[in-house]
Amino acid sequence: MTRFSFDLTATDGAARTGVIHTPRGEVRTPAFMPVGTAATVKAMLPGSVRETGADILLGNTYHLMLRPTAERIDRLGGLHRFMNWDRPILTDSGGFQVMSLAELRKLTEEGVTFRSHIDGSRHTLTPERSMEIQRLLGSDIVMAFDECPALPAERDRIAASMRLSMRWAQRSRDAFGDRPGHALFGIQQGGLEPDLRAESAEALRGIGFDGYAVGGLAVGEGQEAMFGVLDYAPGQLPEDKPRYLMGVGKPDDIVGAVRRGIDMMDCVLPSRSGRTGQAFTRRGVVNIRNARHADDPRPLDEACACPACRGYSRAYLHHVSRAKEIIASMLMTWHNLHYYQELMAGMRDAIAAGSFDAWEAEFHATRALGDIDPI
Amino acid sequence: MTRFSFDLTATDGAARTGVIHTPRGEVRTPAFMPVGTAATVKAMLPGSVRETGADILLGNTYHLMLRPTAERIDRLGGLHRFMNWDRPILTDSGGFQVMSLAELRKLTEEGVTFRSHIDGSRHTLTPERSMEIQRLLGSDIVMAFDECPALPAERDRIAASMRLSMRWAQRSRDAFGDRPGHALFGIQQGGLEPDLRAESAEALRGIGFDGYAVGGLAVGEGQEAMFGVLDYAPGQLPEDKPRYLMGVGKPDDIVGAVRRGIDMMDCVLPSRSGRTGQAFTRRGVVNIRNARHADDPRPLDEACACPACRGYSRAYLHHVSRAKEIIASMLMTWHNLHYYQELMAGMRDAIAAGSFDAWEAEFHATRALGDIDPI
């Protein structure tokens, strides 16, 4: 059986490209992971997600533990079979979403108790329970259970939270055990404080993980502050393991993160935006519900090969998005996920060719043109 | 260029099978037409609709004239290009839906004035305007503009309405003109009254159409009364033209209509039911939101080859339908449309083989088994 491993095949400055090997297939990095929160990438069939170029999906422990429950998914053969996706799945630990979605949260050294936002039922998440849930789901890449304060926060609060997360990281490692073919990633915390980030990285390296996330970002600090951390944080983590930036982001966030040495990212933005009529294109964001598209026979992007751009005009997408037809969510999400995967493929090729600077300049120059002129 | 024509290839009792030839492709009859109300079969991509076996779609004049408007669709190259469906489209006349959906309706000899249910704007539909709209849409099969009273209704009301519809049928015929490759269908009215049905059929035959609909049914009269009319009404219409039963129906309605000589049908039921968690199977209706499916690893129907049945358990469909995920509408609609097309294909084969009675007995016997036992 293939063991979990990471081959770094090329670098260009801090930017890296490589391949993560798993028993369920390869993940080309830098990788963007579409989010399949409740065992579905919203408005997409799994085969269509794969057609966009995705190698791996993200599943949300918090949502799945509440409905349909990890135990039920296990009885049904695991998350891959349940949602009809046979390639790798990364699951988050539930920690972040408990803090942002659940009600009546109570945080202790042991873990977090909370009430479900769906039906008010009471639950507990601990490092041990998070590992159990992610094992029941059959996750290929398991995330350590951590705690993440919203920014801005006091330095003392950030330090205490980071140290709790490091104790939880050790408990996650202990509870995960030895599971060949499955990976456990640790999560660096420390807010915007370089010394706390260094302390966190040192703790994680001491425990030892198959990959490392830069956590605690994309929580309201803004792009400049995030890039400030990414200028040094990836370098504090082991070079020979994948580095994952959680919950990022907009296309320019992603490009900036890859430039700074990030290998994996996930975000709901392309799918969520698709459902609200926002399209990402090489030339920026298009709000398809804007009246200027009502008579426009052109596709979202002439150069895009996705089904939305090959088969439909802006006028059609405008019509179905305004009419709240499901096909609008289907086509716009497909386009956005396709765009994101094209973005990643472009960066992988550029890094391999040693031309990331030129690629990035072109990326920004094309966006600076703005959307095509109205007809 | 292919002209519009109908080849009746076999009969079995009153049941018929054949092929409608159009410049945009053939329609195998008996045919079920999925409804693409607002230029989309809800929750389906056109390629997927075709994969279910559909040869032809129905578009709604009322909805499309209001949004995005027929003139806009014409400027964009017609409805086929707009919605990315290059096979035949039948459009209704708008008459029925004005009476069921629009506000502040006023009916005169000239036509109907009403306010849009979307934005309150004022519109008029006449036979001439309906023909113009359906021409702008690029419809392959155009329906005459008619008026249809809800049942039960007084005989005098039904007779007066039918005669108005016959005058409008003549005006529709005159306004339609000569459009090679495009067909105009007349609509028989007359409620549940055999002599009024005969009078209507005679009037339509005198005008001359490319096909004939049995109108004014599926408006609340019940299956027994509908079949009562279908026992004689199709026989009042020309044998060598397609016969279309509008807005029907449940699977057993469809089978009963085909047995009585109907060639074409349409209904929102398979798509609408899919969005509310109802699946049609050989063994009857399954409400996938019922708790008994929560742990069921079996597909909706072991014998079904649709993507929902090949890739997903009842437990998954239960989960996503309860969680109101878009994929639930996508998969359930696909299954239902696939089931309906399989039903039509089964009847076409049985009629061609002269074994419709045996096929129908098997259809009813399988349904009588009820859904599979809970696990």
Side-chain angles (χ1 to χ4, degrees):
Chain A
M1 189 175 82
T2 311
R3 292 186 69 91
F4 182 92
S5 65
F6 178 51
D7 285 339
L8 193 58
T9 54
T11 59
D12 185 359
R16 304 139 50 99
T17 185
V19 180
I20 298 171
H21 301 275
T22 86
R24 291 190 183 270
E26 298 186 342
V27 179
R28 299 162 288 178
T29 67
F32 178 79
M33 302 185 284
V35 178
T37 299
T40 165
V41 176
K42 292 182 196 297
M44 295 285 285
L45 297 179
S48 308
V49 176
R50 177 62 182 154
E51 277 186 52
T52 68
D55 291 337
I56 179 171
L57 297 186
L58 179 141
N60 288 122
T61 283
Y62 171 76
H63 291 83
L64 294 171
M65 71 181 282
L66 298 180
R67 184 173 59 187
T69 78
E71 282 70 16
R72 174 166 284 150
I73 289 176
D74 178 47
R75 284 196 298 274
L76 291 161
L79 183 57
H80 297 81
R81 180 187 295 183
F82 186 61
M83 69 183 293
N84 196 22
W85 171 265
D86 63 4
R87 304 186 67 85
I89 295 176
L90 179 148
T91 46
D92 63 14
S93 71
F96 179 78
Q97 294 197 305
V98 164
M99 300 316 276
S100 56
L101 293 175
E103 295 162 5
L104 293 173
R105 301 178 299 272
K106 191 177 163 206
L107 178 70
T108 68
E109 179 69 27
E110 178 61 16
V112 187
T113 59
F114 60 94
R115 285 189 184 277
S116 161
H117 73 288
I118 297 173
D119 63 5
S121 56
R122 182 180 293 278
H123 300 267
T124 300
L125 264 180
T126 63
E128 293 76 18
R129 177 61 179 153
S130 179
M131 295 305 104
E132 181 181 31
I133 290 170
Q134 294 181 75
R135 179 181 58 73
L136 290 168
L137 296 175
S139 172
D140 302 286
I141 302 181
V142 170
M143 299 305 297
F145 188 67
D146 70 338
E147 202 260 328
C148 165
L151 297 180
E154 297 289 323
R155 179 181 160 87
D156 285 356
R157 163 84 179 95
I158 290 170
S161 169
M162 180 272 286
R163 288 168 192 142
L164 175 65
S165 286
M166 295 306 102
R167 294 191 295 278
W168 285 0
Q170 181 67 60
R171 284 169 57 191
S172 295
R173 175 81 266 177
D174 295 344
F176 181 82
D178 183 31
R179 299 181 59 209
H182 297 263
L184 179 64
F185 280 25
I187 306 175
Q188 181 198 44
Q189 293 290 351
L192 309 180
E193 315 283 335
D195 61 324
L196 296 181
R197 287 270 169 195
E199 179 185 333
S200 178
E202 194 57 34
L204 295 175
R205 296 174 77 130
I207 299 169
F209 290 93
D210 304 300
Y212 295 83
V214 180
L217 296 178
V219 291
E221 75 281 6
Q223 189 187 71
E224 192 179 352
M226 180 173 81
F227 283 174
V229 173
L230 293 180
D231 282 337
Y232 62 81
Q236 297 171 333
L237 300 170
E239 190 182 356
D240 62 346
K241 303 289 185 188
R243 299 165 181 165
Y244 166 28
L245 179 61
M246 303 166 78
V248 171
K250 296 196 300 290
D252 54 322
D253 294 331
I254 284 178
V255 171
V258 168
R259 149 166 295 283
R260 290 166 175 83
I262 294 295
D263 305 307
M264 304 165 69
M265 276 160 287
D266 77 281
C267 193
V268 296
L269 198 61
S271 41
R272 179 173 293 165
S273 297
R275 297 197 302 284
T276 58
Q278 303 255 324
F280 294 96
T281 78
R282 295 171 304 133
R283 297 176 64 166
V285 174
V286 174
N287 181 351
I288 201 63
R289 293 183 188 167
N290 190 297
R292 72 188 177 91
H293 304 298
D295 270 301
D296 196 331
R298 296 171 297 182
L300 278 170
D301 185 341
E302 297 276 1
C304 179
C306 86
C309 289
R310 278 190 283 106
Y312 302 90
S313 60
R314 290 178 175 219
Y316 182 78
L317 296 171
H318 172 85
H319 164 64
V320 289
S321 187
R322 284 243 187 153
K324 301 197 180 348
E325 290 287 348
I326 291 173
I327 198 173
S329 295
M330 295 164 67
L331 291 172
M332 296 283 287
T333 300
W334 196 323
H335 170 82
N336 283 345
L337 290 178
H338 181 96
Y339 171 78
Y340 267 64
Q341 294 299 340
E342 289 284 301
L343 190 70
M344 306 315 289
M347 288 192 287
R348 289 193 297 265
D349 291 347
I351 296 165
S355 57
F356 189 82
D357 284 348
W359 182 92
E360 191 181 20
E362 175 74 17
F363 166 79
H364 289 295
T366 305
R367 287 161 62 86
L369 295 173
D371 191 26
I372 52 176
D373 291 330
I375 50 168
Chain B
M1 189 174 84
T2 311
R3 292 186 68 91
F4 182 92
S5 64
F6 178 52
D7 285 338
L8 193 58
T9 53
T11 59
D12 185 0
R16 302 139 51 99
T17 185
V19 179
I20 298 171
H21 302 275
T22 86
R24 291 190 183 269
E26 297 186 343
V27 178
R28 298 162 288 178
T29 66
F32 179 79
M33 302 184 284
V35 178
T37 299
T40 166
V41 176
K42 293 182 195 296
M44 295 285 286
L45 297 179
S48 308
V49 176
R50 178 61 182 155
E51 278 186 52
T52 67
D55 291 335
I56 179 170
L57 297 186
L58 181 140
N60 287 121
T61 283
Y62 171 76
H63 290 83
L64 295 170
M65 71 180 282
L66 298 181
R67 182 171 62 186
T69 78
E71 282 70 17
R72 175 166 283 150
I73 288 177
D74 178 48
R75 284 196 298 276
L76 291 160
L79 183 57
H80 296 81
R81 180 187 295 183
F82 186 61
M83 70 183 291
N84 196 23
W85 171 265
D86 63 6
R87 304 187 66 84
I89 294 175
L90 179 149
T91 46
D92 63 14
S93 71
F96 180 77
Q97 295 198 305
V98 164
M99 299 316 276
S100 56
L101 294 174
E103 295 162 4
L104 293 173
R105 301 178 299 272
K106 190 175 164 210
L107 177 70
T108 66
E109 178 70 27
E110 178 62 17
V112 186
T113 59
F114 60 94
R115 285 189 184 277
S116 161
H117 73 289
I118 298 173
D119 63 5
S121 56
R122 182 180 294 278
H123 300 268
T124 300
L125 265 180
T126 63
E128 293 76 19
R129 177 61 179 152
S130 178
M131 295 305 104
E132 180 181 30
I133 290 170
Q134 294 181 75
R135 179 181 59 73
L136 290 167
L137 295 175
S139 172
D140 302 286
I141 301 181
V142 170
M143 298 305 297
F145 188 67
D146 70 337
E147 202 260 327
C148 164
L151 297 180
E154 298 289 324
R155 179 181 160 89
D156 284 356
R157 162 86 178 94
I158 291 170
S161 168
M162 180 272 285
R163 288 169 192 143
L164 175 65
S165 286
M166 295 307 100
R167 294 191 295 277
W168 285 1
Q170 180 67 59
R171 284 169 58 190
S172 294
R173 176 81 265 177
D174 294 344
F176 181 82
D178 182 33
R179 299 181 58 210
H182 297 263
L184 179 64
F185 280 25
I187 305 176
Q188 182 198 41
Q189 293 290 352
L192 308 181
E193 316 283 335
D195 60 324
L196 296 181
R197 288 270 168 197
E199 178 185 332
S200 179
E202 193 57 32
L204 295 175
R205 296 173 79 131
I207 298 168
F209 289 94
D210 304 301
Y212 295 83
V214 179
L217 295 178
V219 291
E221 75 281 5
Q223 188 187 71
E224 191 179 354
M226 180 173 80
F227 283 175
V229 172
L230 293 179
D231 282 336
Y232 63 81
Q236 296 171 333
L237 300 169
E239 189 181 356
D240 62 345
K241 303 289 184 187
R243 299 163 181 166
Y244 166 28
L245 179 61
M246 303 167 77
V248 171
K250 297 197 299 291
D252 55 322
D253 294 332
I254 285 178
V255 171
V258 168
R259 150 167 295 284
R260 291 168 174 81
I262 293 297
D263 304 306
M264 304 166 70
M265 277 160 286
D266 77 280
C267 193
V268 296
L269 199 61
S271 41
R272 179 174 293 165
S273 298
R275 298 197 302 285
T276 59
Q278 303 254 324
F280 293 96
T281 77
R282 294 172 304 134
R283 296 176 62 166
V285 174
V286 175
N287 181 350
I288 201 64
R289 294 184 187 167
N290 189 298
R292 72 187 178 91
H293 304 298
D295 270 302
D296 197 331
R298 296 171 297 182
L300 278 171
D301 185 340
E302 298 275 1
C304 179
C306 87
C309 289
R310 279 190 283 104
Y312 302 90
S313 60
R314 289 179 175 219
Y316 182 79
L317 296 171
H318 172 85
H319 164 65
V320 289
S321 187
R322 283 244 187 152
K324 301 198 180 348
E325 290 287 348
I326 291 173
I327 198 172
S329 295
M330 295 164 67
L331 291 173
M332 296 283 287
T333 301
W334 195 323
H335 169 81
N336 283 345
L337 290 177
H338 182 95
Y339 171 78
Y340 267 63
Q341 294 299 340
E342 290 283 301
L343 189 70
M344 307 316 288
M347 288 192 286
R348 289 193 296 265
D349 292 348
I351 296 166
S355 58
F356 189 81
D357 284 349
W359 182 93
E360 191 181 19
E362 175 74 17
F363 166 79
H364 289 295
T366 306
R367 287 160 64 86
L369 295 172
D371 191 26
I372 54 177
D373 291 330
I375 51 168

